[in-house]
Amino acid sequence: MAAKQNSGNNKLMMTLLKGRTFIVLIILLIFFSITADNFLSAGALLTVAKHVALYGILAIGMTYVIITGGIDLSVGSVAGLAGMIAGGLIQEGLTLKMFGVTLYFSVPMIVLITVLLGALMGMINGLVITKCNVAPFIATLGTMYIWRGFANIRSNGATFSEISGSEGLGNTGFEVFGRNLGGTSIPCGVLILAIIAVIAGLILKKTPFGWHVLSIGGNEKASKLSGIKVDRVKIWVYAFSGFCSAVVGIIATSQLVSATPKTGESWEMNAIAASVLGGTSMAGGVGTIGGTIVGAFVIGVINDGMTMCGVTEFWQKIIRGLVIIIAVIIDQVQRNLQAKMALQARNENK
């Protein structure tokens, strides 16, 4: 009888742990609706939605990376450099000194160039990690500084403030990514987040590539022995993270209607927090895109809720750090409980 009661308690605890992020989100919404004036107003929720779109897209790429057992600290810097690339192409074009001409591209072409360069930056991370055997933390810490340096070099630390384009040059319309969808109050970024989330979720759960990603995080050596091209999968995962970062850079730059090299500073922490809060295990092998999106909502609500309550940026950083630590601790508790329940099930079957 005692064994059955313990089993029931463990199952209840596991259910609560699996739904912890959604429970925390509800508690936060109730808390800030009481403590922050107009937190549930249309304007405040619109601001939260815009921020959640940025954190969520970054976190989707981060989720893939963490599932493989890696980490990508360069996502914020990639977003900043991507914004500077897009802003520079709009304001200054691409000068070919050899031919004495300056090329101006249409907005769709600028977006394509930017996201491809973002994916390339991510691919470089993957190559350094897999081919040079550099730990993901060290490799992406290094490229975090490199990409941020290039973002500053692009404009000598200045801001591109004229990115509305010119009809004569055929490069207008970039600001659409920072606006609401026509006739609605839904930010364009939220639609982009939804599209990327659906595609990333389907790939992770329904395709061989997604199964390989999960398998590598679960047991890399076994994955190699089973014929999975581990290095290739990791390179593409980091490329996807770079792609997501570039998309965020485009959206953020469009929202600001200017490109600044400071865009994306410390956003890697929000991406990691959202991913881990959403149930992605830092040990690898476990994670869902749906959970990550809920985690992004939690981070967005915490950040904007604290701002509306007048909490200083210094205390916000402390609280965000505590959130990450607590999330990892809870993840470890869940893993230990799962192992305990699996052991109990095996003993009962004997």
Side-chain angles (χ1 to χ4, degrees), residues 7 45 83 90 112 120 126 129 139 146 169 172-173 187 224 276 311:
S7 178
L45 292 177
I90 293 172
L112 179 61
L120 178 61
I129 291 165
I146 292 171
L169 298 173
T172 58
K224 286 183 178 179
V276 175
V311 179

Side-chain angles (χ1 to χ4, degrees), residues 29 107 128 137 139 143-144 164 181-184 199 222 226 243 245-246 259 272 284 295 297 321 325 334:
L29 288 172
V107 167
V128 172
F137 181 90
T143 56
M144 177 182 76
S164 297
L181 296 174
T184 73
I199 294 173
S226 66
F243 166 84
S245 302
I272 293 170
F297 271 98
I325 293 173
Q334 181 177 336

Side-chain angles (χ1 to χ4, degrees), residues 17 69 143 231 236 296 302 334:
L17 285 172
T143 56
D231 287 355
W236 280 112
I302 289 176
Q334 181 177 336

Side-chain angles (χ1 to χ4, degrees), residues 244-317:
C244 290
S245 302
V247 171
V248 167
I250 290 169
I251 296 172
T253 300
S254 179
Q255 289 176 351
L256 295 171
V257 199
S258 64
T260 169
K262 292 185 177 294
T263 295
E265 287 186 346
S266 299
W267 286 6
E268 58 276 357
M269 294 297 103
N270 290 325
I272 293 170
S275 182
V276 175
L277 278 171
T280 304
S281 174
M282 291 297 291
V286 177
T288 64
I289 300 303
T292 294
I293 298 304
V294 178
F297 271 98
V298 170
I299 296 300
V301 169
I302 289 176
N303 289 347
D304 290 338
M306 288 192 297
T307 299
M308 293 183 69
C309 286
V311 179
T312 65
E313 177 64 22
F314 310 122
W315 278 106
Q316 288 188 33
K317 289 181 178 180

Side-chain angles (χ1 to χ4, degrees), residues 3 19 40 54 86 90 100 133 149 168 178 185 199 210 215 217 234 256 269 285 291 299 335:
L40 295 180
L54 300 178
I90 293 172
N133 293 318
S185 58
I199 294 173
S215 175
K234 284 186 176 182
L256 295 171
M269 294 297 103
I299 296 300
R335 289 171 64 85

